[in-house]
Amino acid sequence: TVNTTSINHGFQLFHYDLTGTELGTQTRLRWQFAGYAPQNPTAKPRVDIDDIIVATTAPPANIVLSMFDDGQHGDGAANDGYYGVQVPVKSGGTTVNFVITATDTASGVTVNPSSGSYTYTVSSSLTDSTIKGAEFLGMPTDTSMTLNVIASVDQQAYIEYGTVPGNYTAATTPALFSVDLARPEFYNPIEITLSGLQPDTEYYYRVRHKNTAASSYNARGERSFHTARPRGRPFVFTITADPHLDVNTDQSLLLRAMSNIAADGPDFHIDLGDIFMTDKMEQPLANGVPAIWGGELSTGQLNQSLLNNRAILLRNQFELFCHSVPFFFTLGNHEAEYGYLFSTASDKQNNIPAWDLKSRKAYFPTPVPNTFFGGNPTTMNYTGGTLGLLEDYYAWEWGDALFIVLDPFWNTNTNPNQGNDSWNWSLGQTQYNWLRDTLKNSSAKYKFVFMHHIVGGTTTLADGVTPNVAARGGIEVAGFYEWGGLNADGTTNGFASRRPGWDMPIHNLLVQNKVSAVFHGHDHLYGYQTLDGVVYLECPQPGTANYTTLGSAADGKYTQGLSSLLLADSGHIRVSVTPGQVVADYVRAYRPQDENASRHNLDVSNSFTLRPTVFPPIEMVAVNPGQVILRWNAVVNKPYQIQWSTDLVTWQTITTTPLVFVSPVAAPHSESQS
C-alpha cells in the first residue's frame, strides 16, 4: 500500500523481492490504486505500464581462491605454517559466506566448518579504530594524485590501485609513518603520492595499513579518482563557500549538501574559504550557544592542538566525497592568515597565521609550484626560521579551462580597519604580477578566478554610516581600490599613487585577458552578476538553513537589477565544462523537513552559460608604444623561432624558445616583445 506525495509528479520508486511460490513461471502482476480525489486538473488519472518483467536469478557462483604461506597475503611470515588469502573487493553491506578446504598430500580433504559456512558483512564505515576519518585527495595532475589520511598511531601503509574496480595492478612501496613525538598534536598525517599515472584516466584504489605490531595489513574501502583531462574533454567541478560549521550552521544540512556534491561525481571540488574559523574560536557566541567544536574558549586558550582538531572536524564533512574527489583550498578571512597578524607576532611559530598554515599543510594537500601547477614559490622566512611555502595562491589547467586561486590575506600587511582604509587590502605586487603573467600566457577557452572576497569592497554597513572595511560586495564595489582603482569618494583615481609600478587595476586586467568568471564567497548568498563581460558569482553557503534572507547583501551593497540576480542560501555550484560552453547550476540543499511543494533537495534555482573565448592562431596585443606581445597556441617542449622582416626576404631572428616551461599554465602561449 502506497501513498503518493503529490498529485503532480510525486514520483516514488518501490522495490519488492518475490520469494518462494511467488517465483513461479506463471506469475502475473497487476497494479491498482484507490483513493484518488480529483482536484486540479480534474481529469481522471492515467496509468501507463509498459512492461512488468519477473526475473529469477541464481545465487552467484562460488569463487575458489588459493591460500598462501608467503608473507604477502595477510598470513604473517613466509613459511610459518599460517596461510592467508586476499578476498576480492566487495561493496559496503555485501554479505560474504565462505568455507575453508584443506587437502593433504594423501588427497585427504577437510572442510571447515563441516556444515554451513562462515559469514561476514563488509563494513560501510569510512573509518576504523586507528584512522581518524576517510581518505582525502588533493594536488591532482595529469600523471599523479596525492592522498592524505590521518592515523592516531604509527602505521605501515601503502596504496593499491588500478583502472578496473577491484583489480589493483600496481601498488606503492609500503612505508612507515610515525607520529612525531615532538608534535603529537598533529596525530599522524599519512601522505602518499601516486605517480606515473595515465592522463585522462579513471583510477580505483584502496589503502592498506597496519599498526607496527600487527602481523597483517587491513584493507580500507575502494575509492576512485580521475586524472587531469586534456583540452577538448568535458568535465564537471563543484564549488562551495563559507562552510563555517559554526553556531549558524546546521550540520545535517551541511552533510546534505556534501551528499549532493558526491552525487554530481565532479573531477574536483573547490572551496572558497572560511573553513578553519580560526579567529572565531576565542570569540563569544550569540546567546551563549556553545560552538560546535566544543565550547567557547577564553582569550589566550587557542593553541595548535585545538586548531588541528577544528581543521579535522570540518575536513570530516568534506570526506563524504573527497575520498574520491580532489579538494582545492582557498583561504578565507576566518582562516585569519593575515600578514599583519604574523608580522606583529612575537613568537613566529605560535600565532594564529602560523598555526593555521601548519594545520592546513598537514591535513589539506595544497598545490606547490611544479610542472603542472603554477603558484607562490617564495617561502615565508623570518629572523631565525621559516614557515616554508605558504601554498596560498596557485593555478592549473584542466580540459579547456584555466583555474586561478588568489589570496588577499598574507600580503595584507596593515589591518584595513586601522583608519578604515580598504587600500590596505592587497594581493601584493608579486602575486599581482604572477596573476598578470598567468592570464596573458594562457589561451584556454575559459579562465576562472577563485577567491574568498574581492580586494577592497564596501566601507560601511548597510546603514551607510557605520564604518566597516570587511571587503564585502560584488560588482557594485568592483570599481574601487586595488580591484577597480577608485578612491573611497568614487570619483578620484588612486591606483597610480597607491599601486606604483602596477599595470592596471585587477578588474581591468581580468577584462583585458578575457576572464570568464570570478567565483567569490564571503557574503553568504547566491549572487549572479556581470560587469564588462566578466561574470562575478557570489557563491552560497552549503549548510546554513536561511532560505529567505540574503546574508550580507545589504552590507555588501548588492542590488537586484539587469546585471544581478540575488538568491538566498543554501547549496553548492556545479559547473559543467565542454569545449562549446560552460553551464553553471545553483544546486539547492534542503533538509527533509524543509522540503515542500516549492522546495526540493537538488532543485536547480538558477543556471547560466558561458561561451568559449577562441584565440586566433597568432594574437598581437599592444603593450606600450613601440611594444607588442605575440601569443599563439603552442605545444610544450617543441622549439619555436620568432623572426622579423621588412621585405619578406631577409629575416632576423628575435628569439628562439624551446617552450620548456616551469608550469604548463604558461605553455599554451609564448611571447616576444619587439
Side-chain angles (χ1 to χ4, degrees), residues 279-329:
D279 62 341
K280 289 280 191 179
M281 291 178 67
E282 287 185 341
Q283 295 184 10
L285 299 169
N287 304 317
V289 178
I292 198 167
W293 50 80
E296 297 176 23
L297 303 173
S298 301
T299 301
Q301 281 191 320
L302 183 61
N303 56 40
Q304 185 74 69
S305 180
L306 290 170
L307 199 152
N308 288 352
N309 289 336
R310 162 66 193 183
I312 294 171
L313 177 65
L314 195 19
R315 170 177 144 154
N316 289 159
Q317 319 307 306
F318 286 105
E319 285 172 355
L320 195 62
F321 62 90
C322 282
H323 53 70
S324 298
V325 177
F327 183 90
F328 287 101
F329 198 119

Side-chain angles (χ1 to χ4, degrees), residues 259-277:
S259 295
N260 294 346
I261 295 169
D264 286 336
D267 276 13
F268 54 83
H269 181 79
I270 302 173
D271 187 85
L272 299 181
D274 281 6
I275 292 177
F276 285 12
M277 302 299 287

Side-chain angles (χ1 to χ4, degrees), residues 523-605:
D523 291 323
H524 308 167
L525 71 149
Y526 174 89
Y528 168 77
Q529 302 183 296
T530 60
L531 180 65
D532 299 326
V534 179
V535 169
Y536 282 77
L537 190 71
E538 164 65 27
C539 297
Q541 292 184 285
T544 302
N546 179 14
Y547 308 134
T548 56
T549 59
L550 296 176
S552 298
D555 292 339
K557 308 300 190 292
Y558 288 87
T559 56
Q560 298 271 20
L562 294 177
S563 59
S564 297
L565 172 65
L566 309 181
L567 300 171
D569 287 333
S570 179
H572 75 277
I573 305 300
R574 177 181 61 218
V575 185
S576 304
V577 182
T578 68
Q581 71 172 6
V582 166
V583 178
D585 300 318
Y586 176 19
V587 182
R588 301 304 292 266
Y590 293 108
R591 300 170 300 191
Q593 65 266 32
D594 299 324
E595 296 186 83
N596 55 37
S598 61
R599 294 177 183 164
H600 308 95
N601 188 53
L602 294 174
D603 279 350
V604 175
S605 289

Side-chain angles (χ1 to χ4, degrees), residues 336-358 379-383 385-388 390 409-413:
E337 293 186 33
Y338 292 114
Y340 63 83
L341 285 182
F342 181 73
S343 63
T344 58
S346 57
D347 184 345
K348 297 302 186 185
Q349 287 291 330
N350 292 289
N351 57 79
I352 285 178
W355 288 329
D356 198 281
L357 174 63
K358 288 184 280 188
T379 56
M380 176 52 70
N381 301 327
Y382 57 88
T383 302
T386 182
L387 292 180
L390 293 178
F409 304 109
W410 271 101
N411 288 293
T412 293
N413 293 312

Side-chain angles (χ1 to χ4, degrees), residues 351-401:
N351 57 79
I352 285 178
W355 288 329
D356 198 281
L357 174 63
K358 288 184 280 188
S359 188
R360 179 163 56 88
K361 285 184 175 183
Y363 307 124
F364 293 83
T366 309
V368 296
N370 56 30
T371 57
F372 187 85
F373 292 102
N376 185 358
T378 306
T379 56
M380 176 52 70
N381 301 327
Y382 57 88
T383 302
T386 182
L387 292 180
L389 292 175
L390 293 178
E391 302 176 20
D392 55 337
Y393 61 84
Y394 49 92
W396 74 101
E397 284 196 4
W398 197 285
D400 286 298

Side-chain angles (χ1 to χ4, degrees), residues 68-256:
F68 298 89
D69 182 16
D70 57 3
Q72 302 297 316
H73 291 80
D75 55 298
N79 303 312
D80 63 356
Y82 291 92
Y83 286 75
V85 65
Q86 179 174 298
V87 177
V89 174
K90 303 295 180 183
S91 302
T94 300
T95 297
V96 178
N97 303 296
F98 68 96
V99 298
I100 301 171
T101 301
T103 304
D104 63 20
T105 56
S107 299
V109 177
T110 300
V111 178
N112 189 359
S114 57
S115 62
S117 63
Y118 293 113
T119 184
Y120 69 88
T121 300
V122 179
S123 173
S124 299
S125 174
L126 291 176
T127 188
D128 54 44
S129 60
T130 61
I131 303 295
K132 297 181 71 62
E135 297 82 354
F136 200 83
L137 300 180
M139 295 191 285
T141 76
D142 54 343
T143 60
S144 66
M145 181 68 70
T146 298
L147 175 143
N148 184 291
V149 65
I150 307 167
S152 57
V153 297
D154 292 356
Q155 297 278 312
Q156 290 272 358
Y158 66 97
I159 300 174
E160 299 174 316
Y161 59 98
T163 58
V164 177
N167 184 16
Y168 309 122
T169 57
T172 62
T173 302
L176 174 63
F177 296 88
S178 299
V179 175
D180 186 347
L181 297 180
R183 303 193 309 165
E185 68 273 14
F186 281 92
Y187 304 103
N188 185 13
I190 297 170
E191 193 159 287
I192 302 173
T193 297
L194 301 177
S195 58
L197 306 178
Q198 294 299 311
D200 193 20
T201 301
E202 188 80 9
Y203 279 90
Y204 302 86
Y205 77 92
R206 68 176 180 179
V207 173
R208 303 294 304 274
H209 69 101
K210 67 174 183 176
N211 299 345
T212 53
S215 60
S216 60
Y217 283 90
N218 295 321
R220 290 172 59 80
E222 182 176 271
R223 315 297 186 202
S224 63
F225 61 83
H226 202 100
T227 51
R229 316 261 183 176
R231 290 190 176 185
R233 292 277 284 126
F235 65 96
V236 173
F237 71 95
T238 48
I239 310 169
T240 51
D242 302 272
H244 280 219
L245 198 55
D246 59 10
V247 68
N248 297 312
T249 305
D250 184 284
Q251 192 169 16
S252 65
L253 179 61
L254 179 61
L255 291 175
R256 199 88 192 269

